[in-house]
Amino acid sequence: MMEATDTKTKLLDVAERLFAEKGIHAISLRNIISEAEVNLAAIHYHFGSKEALLREVFSRRIKPVNEERLRRLDELLAVSGNAKTDLAALVRAFLEPVVRIRFESPNRTLIIMKLVHQLQADSGDLREVFYDLVEGVISRFMDAFGEALPHLSTGELFWRFKFMLGVLHMIMAQPPICKPGFDFDSVELDLENVTNKVVPFLVAGFEAPATEARNMDNGI
Amino acid sequence: MMEATDTKTKLLDVAERLFAEKGIHAISLRNIISEAEVNLAAIHYHFGSKEALLREVFSRRIKPVNEERLRRLDELLAVSGNAKTDLAALVRAFLEPVVRIRFESPNRTLIIMKLVHQLQADSGDLREVFYDLVEGVISRFMDAFGEALPHLSTGELFWRFKFMLGVLHMIMAQPPICKPGFDFDSVELDLENVTNKVVPFLVAGFEAPATEARNMDNGI
DNA sequence: GTTTGATTCAAACAGTCGTTTGATTTATTT
DNA sequence: AAATAAATCAAACGACTGTTTGAATCAAAC
């Protein structure tokens, strides 16, 4: 039966590269098949539609990352037992699996960030692809952070967690945040270095005293 | 001579709304002219091209914000004189003019964030629009932060400033960061409230001791 | 060796895109 | 009122989009 998965993965690879290079909307099926040197109909034969190809391109890269995050969270919780989980370790478990690929695989980074950005740039159905992939991770880590930071109200915790997502976003974002040549992004680049910079920053932020203690209403 | 600027601003308004609602790439010129109830050629007559329309849509909203940020920075520097500028005030001067529109004008927020996202989702020429608008602001604030935080190396400062950009990004990002219904974004919504949450978080992060002490400057 | 199913192929489908044209209407100036 | 410039209009341009079709090619099973 099936044997020529060659064409299928060749399409995934080429599509991934082109999406990362030029942006998703800038790439047509004909761009892909011409670089992959296959027939136009092959995409619909193997995937069914352009959107289905998109889904596979993205989930192929994002799934394993989040699996690793959950695995590390489980490890942490198992070690800490009933004691309070170490906040810095929690932050690292959430960030490192993602940040690592920033320095190990620029291609994978690009394709993931393209999805994140496109996800909010459009109002398309790409959202579901992403939601399905990160929903479980977010909610499980939120719980863990809540227990590690009992001095924070739920609302405060939500915001600070959100802030962390933004910080992570900036680490993953590609160099040209600012004008090319403006050496804002040409700074140190390795996992350990960046981790050592971001973890203290975030831990300090998380542990900062809560501003409000205004009423008994829990604030959510 | 010119009098019927009516059509021109009507095009800007409709384009802005549609871009914000559906995403830039999802909107065609024909979508715009049909809602604006003008002729198709009007866009090329008044703007020259679709891209030129885009530029005007965005710069109309972003320019005044950054002008206010610079104005507030000047005020701060004038007040502090030779003394060290207050870090929290610096953070607020950078954030508040942006965060305010998040709560005052959802439309303006959406269109700005669409640009930010599209900017990185594509590899298009939209980048220049944004670069030109934020370049001066970033570099002037970077200098001010550097003087307010002399214990940080340049690299450390770069990163922490970047982290702040990410945090701001998350404040501005529209609700559905997570799956709709997952009440992650339905938290408190007013300028003062959010400012009171984000400023302590960031100040704590900025003031956290630097990890590295590898060169002659021995950190703290 | 023929049959069967999976894969590839060239060609066309109907639609939409941004842009241009040239005539027509509207407003301002002389 | 005539002349001039600004603005709007319907209609078409060529190029490109994702998708479909039906025949050609290939591999393995009988």
Side-chain angles (χ1 to χ4, degrees):
Chain A
M1 277 201 249
M2 22 193 58
E3 192 278 320
T5 326
D6 216 26
T7 300
K8 196 170 179 179
T9 66
K10 205 194 299 180
L11 281 170
L12 284 174
D13 291 339
V14 171
E16 172 177 296
R17 205 189 73 240
L18 291 182
F19 287 153
E21 280 173 8
K22 307 273 186 185
I24 300 170
H25 284 295
I27 298 302
S28 70
L29 295 187
R30 286 171 178 82
N31 295 141
I32 299 172
I33 60 109
S34 101
E35 290 227 15
E37 291 171 320
V38 302
N39 188 269
L40 176 58
I43 291 181
H44 294 87
Y45 177 78
H46 286 287
F47 299 97
S49 71
K50 187 188 188 181
E51 199 202 303
L53 169 62
L54 274 180
R55 296 181 100 90
E56 286 221 31
V57 165
F58 288 120
S59 64
R60 180 171 70 140
R61 295 309 185 189
I62 294 184
K63 223 168 214 163
V65 180
N66 282 334
E67 284 168 357
E68 191 194 343
R69 293 212 270 201
L70 286 181
R71 193 179 48 72
R72 289 191 52 170
L73 175 61
D74 288 335
E75 268 180 37
L76 267 183
L77 295 178
V79 166
S80 65
N82 287 349
K84 221 191 285 179
T85 313
D86 179 39
L87 182 60
L90 212 49
V91 170
R92 279 206 305 275
F94 186 76
L95 297 186
E96 272 179 355
V98 182
V99 177
R100 179 180 299 118
I101 69 176
R102 160 72 212 265
F103 299 111
E104 282 178 356
S105 168
N107 286 341
R108 219 165 298 185
T109 307
L110 264 168
I111 197 64
I112 291 178
M113 294 313 286
K114 288 290 175 193
L115 174 58
V116 171
H117 289 123
Q118 208 83 72
L119 182 103
Q120 306 202 310
D122 299 352
S123 61
D125 305 305
L126 282 180
R127 306 190 97 100
E128 293 174 18
V129 189
F130 195 73
Y131 290 152
D132 294 347
L133 289 168
V134 303
E135 198 184 6
V137 180
I138 299 280
S139 87
R140 286 215 48 209
F141 270 92
M142 275 286 297
D143 290 345
F145 272 90
E147 287 179 18
L149 294 161
H151 74 293
L152 295 183
S153 71
T154 312
E156 206 96 31
L157 179 66
F158 270 130
W159 276 107
R160 299 194 180 189
F161 195 86
K162 226 173 152 174
F163 296 158
M164 178 172 65
L165 292 180
V167 168
L168 174 60
H169 185 109
M170 274 302 162
I171 296 176
M172 299 302 287
Q174 283 314 100
I177 289 295
C178 280
K179 195 156 193 163
F182 182 32
D183 33 324
F184 183 70
D185 305 281
S186 53
V187 267
E188 301 94 315
L189 292 164
D190 70 80
L191 173 60
E192 198 191 353
N193 210 319
V194 171
T195 304
N196 285 342
K197 286 188 172 52
V198 66
V199 173
F201 182 92
L202 285 176
V203 168
F206 269 116
E207 286 179 339
T211 24
E212 51 150 24
R214 38 174 198 175
N215 49 19
M216 62 218 122
D217 157 66
N218 63 352
I220 186 168
Chain B
M1 272 204 254
M2 19 194 60
E3 194 278 319
T5 326
D6 218 23
T7 299
K8 196 171 179 178
T9 66
K10 205 193 299 178
L11 280 171
L12 283 175
D13 290 340
V14 171
E16 172 177 297
R17 204 189 74 241
L18 291 183
F19 287 155
E21 281 173 10
K22 308 273 185 184
I24 301 171
H25 283 295
I27 297 303
S28 69
L29 295 186
R30 286 169 178 83
N31 295 141
I32 298 172
I33 61 110
S34 103
E35 290 227 15
E37 290 170 323
V38 302
N39 187 269
L40 176 56
I43 291 182
H44 294 88
Y45 177 78
H46 287 287
F47 299 97
S49 69
K50 188 187 187 182
E51 199 202 303
L53 169 62
L54 275 181
R55 297 181 100 90
E56 287 221 29
V57 165
F58 289 120
S59 63
R60 180 170 72 139
R61 295 310 185 189
I62 293 184
K63 222 168 214 162
V65 181
N66 282 334
E67 285 168 358
E68 192 195 342
R69 294 212 271 197
L70 286 182
R71 193 179 50 70
R72 289 190 52 168
L73 175 59
D74 288 335
E75 268 180 38
L76 266 185
L77 294 180
V79 167
S80 66
N82 287 347
K84 223 191 281 181
T85 315
D86 180 38
L87 182 61
L90 213 49
V91 170
R92 280 206 305 276
F94 186 77
L95 297 186
E96 272 179 355
V98 182
V99 176
R100 178 180 301 118
I101 69 176
R102 160 70 211 266
F103 299 111
E104 283 179 358
S105 168
N107 286 342
R108 219 164 299 185
T109 308
L110 264 168
I111 197 64
I112 291 177
M113 294 313 287
K114 288 290 176 193
L115 173 58
V116 171
H117 289 122
Q118 208 83 73
L119 182 103
Q120 307 202 311
D122 299 352
S123 61
D125 305 305
L126 283 181
R127 305 191 98 101
E128 293 174 18
V129 189
F130 195 74
Y131 289 153
D132 294 347
L133 289 168
V134 302
E135 198 184 6
V137 180
I138 299 279
S139 86
R140 286 214 49 208
F141 270 91
M142 275 286 298
D143 290 345
F145 272 89
E147 286 179 19
L149 294 161
H151 73 291
L152 294 183
S153 70
T154 311
E156 206 96 30
L157 180 67
F158 269 130
W159 276 107
R160 297 194 182 188
F161 195 86
K162 225 173 152 174
F163 296 158
M164 178 173 64
L165 293 179
V167 168
L168 173 59
H169 184 110
M170 273 304 162
I171 296 176
M172 299 302 288
Q174 283 314 101
I177 289 294
C178 279
K179 195 157 193 163
F182 182 30
D183 33 324
F184 183 69
D185 304 281
S186 54
V187 268
E188 301 93 314
L189 291 166
D190 71 79
L191 174 60
E192 198 191 354
N193 210 319
V194 171
T195 303
N196 285 341
K197 285 187 173 54
V198 67
V199 173
F201 183 92
L202 284 177
V203 167
F206 269 116
E207 286 178 339
T211 24
E212 49 156 21
R214 37 175 195 177
N215 40 23
M216 57 209 148
D217 157 67
N218 67 341
I220 283 193

